[in-house]
Amino acid sequence: MRVLTGIQPSGDLHIGNYFGSIKQMVEAQKTSNTFAFIANYHAMTSVSDGNKLSELTMQCATDFLALGIDPEKSTFWVQSDVKEVLELYWILSSFTPMGLLERAHSYKDKTARGIASNHSLFSYPVLMAADILLFGAEVVPVGKDQIQHVEIARDIATKFNNKYGDILVIPEFRIQEEVQTVPGIDGQKMSKSYANIINIFGEEKKQLKTIKKIVTENVAMEEPKEYKNCNVYNMAKLFLEGDNLKELQDRYKRGGEGHGHFKIYLGEVMWEYFREFREKREYYEKNQNEVREILKIGATKAQNLAMPTIEKIRAATGIKY
Ligand code: ADP
Ligand code: TRP
């Protein structure tokens, strides 16, 4: 089975990205044919400083490798290294009704938050459809916010196939129920665009400072506390299982501890959880040429895999004459 995901290099990777997408990809490597790429064209919708974008692209690749994307098992590349995706983006645009894009929550959400509306932000889901369809992906693991984009890709692919025959594979999204949406420090969806993130590879002190800003209910120290809707608990539970999780729930119910204590605990479990990944990251940080080489090999592999599909599409649409 072909499983594919992309991530934008638009800022530091955060725990929402990890639990919503990267972790699932790493696990999928054991059983599936996995495709992971850095969506740098997509990141242009929010990063307009050229140096910054190229830096973030390398940073994101380094992080991915540290977090367990294995270039031996996955095809791993940078989006802009396989230009056919832009060709498919244009071809698919002719099968994308305006209304489909006008209904996209992510676009509406971003513009409502004051992000300037331009064509690339609007047509973003079409490029994402091209990413998915070019590689014949059957499954796309995503966080809840991206479900609609995968549905848009399905709609576009169906329209295309109705016209030209069964060329495109209709993809499905996969969502990890318990981590649909990881909350940010303000309780909204954690997102690079909303300045509410806890990043994976931050410095310990800075991380703790951010954790201390997590919005919590105002309840006296001695009182029992509700854990279900608590942002600190909802983050901590991602790192805990079994007895450890039960023990945290009991601490909330028991009372006698403030949210400050739970925040310190969250800092500790998180730091421990990513320890091994941090060590791996240091290695790749020191060996950036190795990262570049991995990306180069990945791009060639991705391009070769895309060729039969794009050739079929060119022939069917009459672009090849
Ligand atoms: P951001 O919103 O920070 O820009 P991206 O849009 O680059 O993140 O998301 C990359 C992947 O991480 C997507 O699959 C997305 O669904 C997932 N993701 C992002 N934020 C969260 C979150 N808060 N909870 C769960 N998954 C998330
Ligand atoms: N839009 C995705 C996000 O912001 C990133 C992305 C681009 C993607 N192309 C993709 C995810 C293809 C999955 C498949 O999170």
Side-chain angles (χ1 to χ4, degrees):
M1 185 189 290
R2 287 193 176 185
V3 180
L4 172 143
T5 202
I7 211 149
Q8 295 189 58
S10 51
D12 292 339
L13 288 186
H14 54 75
I15 60 174
N17 296 141
Y18 181 70
F19 288 100
S21 156
I22 303 168
K23 185 164 182 260
Q24 296 186 56
M25 254 340 247
V26 172
E27 273 158 21
Q29 290 182 137
K30 293 182 198 142
T31 50
S32 307
N33 188 1
T34 39
F35 294 71
F37 69 96
I38 318 275
N40 58 343
Y41 283 135
H42 278 104
M44 287 187 73
T45 56
S46 60
V47 185
S48 53
D49 175 332
N51 289 332
K52 183 92 193 147
L53 183 59
S54 70
E55 229 173 72
L56 283 170
T57 302
M58 281 305 287
Q59 179 185 317
C60 192
T62 308
D63 290 350
F64 252 58
L65 291 169
L67 290 169
I69 293 294
D70 178 349
E72 298 285 321
K73 295 189 185 132
S74 288
T75 307
F76 178 52
W77 76 103
V78 177
Q79 185 182 33
S80 62
D81 283 337
V82 181
K83 305 284 184 212
E84 283 73 13
V85 77
L86 293 180
E87 181 180 352
L88 185 56
Y89 161 67
W90 181 254
I91 292 172
L92 296 177
S93 291
S94 295
F95 296 86
T96 311
M98 291 291 281
L100 195 62
L101 300 180
E102 276 159 2
R103 285 192 294 277
H105 304 304
S106 170
Y107 172 73
K108 287 196 282 194
D109 214 51
K110 286 189 172 152
T111 48
R113 281 173 184 260
I115 297 173
S117 134
N118 59 33
H119 182 256
S120 71
L121 197 64
F122 184 67
S123 64
Y124 181 109
V126 189
L127 181 57
M128 181 158 160
D131 292 327
I132 297 170
L133 302 173
L134 184 61
F135 300 97
E138 292 157 279
V139 171
V140 184
V142 284
K144 196 176 168 192
D145 60 309
Q146 295 294 318
I147 293 178
Q148 195 190 21
H149 287 163
V150 181
E151 283 169 344
I152 293 175
R154 287 172 64 90
D155 283 0
I156 297 174
T158 306
K159 280 202 164 50
F160 182 94
N161 282 354
N162 284 343
K163 185 78 193 166
Y164 296 113
D166 277 343
I167 295 177
L168 302 174
V169 175
I170 311 292
E172 274 172 24
F173 65 84
R174 183 194 287 158
I175 187 146
Q176 197 91 26
E177 283 304 329
E178 63 276 20
V179 287
Q180 285 189 6
T181 304
V182 176
I185 60 170
D186 56 358
Q188 306 289 308
K189 170 193 142 45
M190 183 176 288
S191 170
K192 282 168 270 178
S193 328
Y194 305 158
N196 63 358
I197 68 167
I198 299 183
N199 53 15
I200 300 172
F201 292 117
E203 280 171 40
E204 193 171 12
K205 271 196 188 143
K206 270 197 195 154
Q207 233 161 18
L208 196 58
K209 220 169 138 189
T210 313
I211 289 174
K212 289 200 169 146
K213 289 188 200 145
I214 299 172
V215 175
T216 49
E217 256 187 351
N218 208 351
V219 186
M221 173 98 85
E222 58 282 1
E223 294 290 318
K225 289 166 192 69
E226 175 70 55
Y227 61 83
K228 278 205 178 103
N229 292 319
C230 174
N231 292 322
V232 179
Y233 173 82
N234 282 328
M235 286 186 209
K237 74 175 185 196
L238 301 165
F239 302 100
L240 298 171
E241 36 185 29
D243 288 349
N244 291 335
L245 184 61
K246 176 87 185 33
E247 167 60 16
L248 182 61
Q249 292 172 356
D250 290 343
R251 283 171 65 186
Y252 269 81
K253 286 193 264 187
R254 224 181 280 142
E257 286 185 276
H259 284 108
H261 295 103
F262 301 133
K263 287 178 179 176
I264 289 170
Y265 180 63
L266 168 63
E268 285 166 1
V269 290
M270 188 175 146
W271 190 253
E272 199 45 47
Y273 187 95
F274 289 118
R275 179 181 298 282
E276 185 195 321
F277 301 120
R278 262 193 313 276
E279 285 164 9
K280 224 165 143 197
R281 194 181 190 291
E282 272 168 34
Y283 170 81
Y284 284 115
E285 183 70 50
K286 286 197 196 105
N287 293 282
Q288 290 284 284
N289 281 342
E290 192 175 323
V291 177
R292 284 181 194 283
E293 193 54 29
I294 288 170
L295 292 172
K296 209 169 128 195
I297 295 169
T300 307
K301 204 167 139 197
Q303 173 122 32
N304 289 339
L305 287 163
M307 275 339 268
T309 308
I310 199 79
E311 287 292 355
K312 266 193 227 163
I313 293 169
R314 285 174 187 155
T317 53
I319 289 300
K320 194 171 170 189
Y321 59 92

